[in-house]
Amino acid sequence: MSEFLQQLVNGITWGSVYALIALGYTMVYGILRLINFAHGDIYMLGAFAAFYASRWIGAGTDPNPAKALLVFVIAMAACGAAGFLIERFAYKPVRKSSRLSALITAIGVSLLLENGGVLVFGAAPRFFPQIVTPHNISLGMGVNITNQQLIILAVSVLLMAALRFIVINTRVGKAMRAVSYNHTAAALMGISVDRIITFTFVLGSMLAAAAGMLVALQNPRIEPYMGIMPGLKAFVAAVLGGIGNIPGAVLGGLVMGIAEVMVVGYVSPTYRDAIAFVLLIIILLVRPAGLLGKHVAEKV
């Protein structure tokens, strides 16, 4: 029983990271009906932004909460700026083109970021500094959690709550929901659709940056291709929960994280990546709209 509970704690921790990345996929899809395949690479940029910020501040040599928080803020701000630039210079010019054009653009941006990362950061893996000194905390019944896992869980919950507050209670959140229903009607109501789309990209990129830094805390090996597999799994998590549905992205991320850790713990680490695609096939066969998604008929 203690082993199951330990795996559950580990799975929820990983799942919360997947949920943060999946939220970016689902928000952009909800607004633009675009699958932003470059989103996993923003996660990589977040880890590298935090890496260079921590070296600049000296957070690795003299770790303390204030420096760790500053590194976190810098990484999110850097990736928010990257999201702004990507939307403005890559996606906005093809916004009125076909979905296929936008999809090809997303793949192109993803390849650009990955290979640009190799050029700028180097192909060799970097080791993220220990800006939070790790130690174990006992939860009882033989279950332990590290302080880094606690930080991952606490920050993820805080960011998800902040996102929910923005979407439900603020004017910009209401505008996001209006744009997700109909661009033309939202524009007629005085909403700047362009600004809302840009804001959505910035917000999603900041969440991906947070996920990148949180993962680097626990797994300090970072490299330019580190975003490919987590990005794909987060995309599957978004589809699993119902892409375009924010609570669904959180649910899908948690299911993905728990399933992955359980497979590693009880079956074999070999199938760690395969479980994501098994879940994708099952959900597409059984419930194509996702766990919390609704089937919407498209006009032709």
Side-chain angles (χ1 to χ4, degrees):
M1 186 62 181
S2 63
E3 185 183 349
F4 174 78
L5 292 175
Q6 184 66 62
Q7 300 292 0
L8 189 61
V9 168
N10 295 339
I12 291 172
T13 306
W14 272 115
S16 60
V17 171
Y18 286 140
L20 283 180
I21 309 173
L23 282 169
Y25 277 109
T26 213
M27 283 195 299
V28 169
Y29 185 84
I31 295 285
L32 280 179
R33 297 296 183 267
L34 165 70
I35 299 170
N36 180 17
F37 280 114
H39 195 61
D41 301 297
I42 297 292
Y43 158 89
M44 174 272 292
L45 285 182
F48 272 99
F51 171 77
Y52 285 108
S54 63
R55 288 180 59 178
W56 176 52
I57 296 170
T61 54
D62 178 26
N64 66 61
K67 288 184 177 179
L69 181 62
L70 185 57
V71 169
F72 189 72
V73 171
I74 291 173
M76 290 184 72
C79 285
F84 172 83
L85 293 173
I86 289 170
E87 193 280 329
R88 183 56 57 96
F89 294 108
Y91 294 132
K92 188 175 180 181
V94 297
R95 195 176 297 163
K96 294 181 180 177
S97 304
S98 66
R99 288 188 186 181
L100 182 61
S101 299
L103 191 64
I104 292 170
T105 302
I107 294 171
V109 171
S110 174
L111 292 173
L112 176 67
L113 291 177
E114 288 163 12
N115 292 290
V118 172
L119 189 67
V120 174
F121 307 132
R126 303 291 187 95
F127 288 90
F128 194 81
Q130 290 286 329
I131 62 175
V132 177
T133 307
H135 62 264
N136 286 327
I137 300 168
S138 175
L139 298 178
M141 298 179 65
V143 180
N144 294 309
I145 188 169
T146 67
N147 59 332
Q148 294 173 338
Q149 284 179 302
L150 271 181
I151 290 172
I152 291 172
L153 286 171
V155 172
S156 299
V157 170
L158 189 66
L159 290 175
M160 289 175 205
L163 177 64
R164 177 177 170 78
F165 178 82
I166 290 172
V167 171
I168 301 295
N169 297 310
T170 65
R171 288 174 62 90
V172 70
K174 291 173 184 174
M176 286 170 68
R177 284 186 282 154
V179 172
S180 72
Y181 280 111
N182 190 300
H183 287 199
T184 305
L188 289 173
M189 296 301 290
I191 296 171
S192 173
V193 174
D194 283 344
R195 287 185 182 177
I196 294 302
I197 291 172
T198 302
F199 177 78
T200 304
F201 268 88
V202 170
L203 199 57
S205 299
M206 292 173 76
L207 292 176
M213 179 183 160
L214 292 173
V215 168
L217 275 181
Q218 197 173 8
N219 295 312
R221 185 178 182 273
I222 62 174
E223 44 94 14
Y225 295 110
M226 64 179 280
I228 296 176
M229 193 51 72
L232 283 174
K233 290 180 182 176
F235 168 66
V236 173
V239 174
L240 183 65
I243 194 161
N245 184 303
I246 288 178
V250 176
L251 177 63
L254 291 174
V255 171
M256 177 65 65
I258 293 170
E260 184 179 309
V261 170
M262 291 295 177
V263 165
V264 171
Y266 291 104
V267 183
S268 169
T270 308
Y271 302 115
R272 177 175 187 162
D273 296 332
I275 185 64
F277 303 103
V278 170
L279 286 174
L280 179 63
I281 292 169
I282 292 173
I283 198 67
L284 289 177
L285 288 174
V286 177
R287 189 173 169 80
L291 296 173
L292 300 184
K294 295 178 181 177
H295 177 73
V296 178
E298 289 196 20
K299 295 178 181 178
V300 294

